[in-house]
Amino acid sequence: MNHTFHTFELSTLKVEVIDTGRPFVCSHHVGDYFLVEGENLIFEQTHSFSLYALAALLPLLPAKQRPLQKADWMLSDSIIACPDPHCGAAFQITRVASRTFTHEETTVVPVAGVDEEELD
């Protein structure tokens, strides 16, 4: 099996509430965070996390997990504002680790256009 072909890297992300110097009006607390490990969101703290903030962050997370080109804005822009325009909270997305996954452990759909014999 060609293991290189079957594997891919994803970064584990930490999404943390940071202070911007403006008052918070939502339920955020500086230092609250969650992790993104593969497809899983992990909330290690007992605090709540805003549904609206989560909805704003979710579309960015899969892209932030993947390897990016050095000039890609997705690599450099890591602070996301709270979606409430009156709230001063922001969320910092940080890559904290990298993990290797295999195609087979993440889907049952074969890679299109590749002969199974090529994979061995």
Side-chain angles (χ1 to χ4, degrees):
M1 177 187 304
N2 181 346
H3 291 287
T4 303
F5 181 80
H6 282 265
T7 63
F8 61 97
E9 296 287 319
L10 291 179
S11 292
T12 297
L13 304 176
K14 181 177 183 180
V15 181
E16 183 174 9
V17 178
I18 61 171
D19 190 1
T20 64
R22 293 179 40 226
F24 290 15
V25 297
C26 297
S27 61
H28 317 299
H29 298 95
V30 172
D32 284 354
Y33 70 93
F34 64 89
L35 301 174
V36 183
E37 292 182 354
E39 66 182 31
N40 298 307
L41 300 180
I42 300 168
F43 298 88
E44 295 180 332
Q45 299 175 320
T46 58
H47 301 296
S48 61
F49 201 91
S50 166
L51 173 67
Y52 304 111
L54 191 58
L57 291 163
L58 283 176
L60 303 173
L61 300 178
K64 295 292 277 183
Q65 285 184 292
R66 286 167 165 70
L68 300 166
Q69 295 178 359
K70 290 180 182 177
D72 191 333
W73 70 270
M74 187 62 78
L75 187 60
S76 60
D77 294 18
S78 63
I79 297 177
I80 311 303
C82 178
D84 184 327
H86 302 290
C87 185
F91 308 95
Q92 184 165 14
I93 302 172
T94 307
R95 292 177 171 193
V96 294
S98 184
R99 183 171 159 202
T100 301
F101 292 86
T102 66
H103 182 83
E104 294 78 13
E105 72 185 342
T106 57
T107 184
V108 296
V109 179
V111 178
V114 177
D115 185 355
E116 287 298 316
E117 292 178 10
E118 292 179 49
L119 300 178
D120 294 329

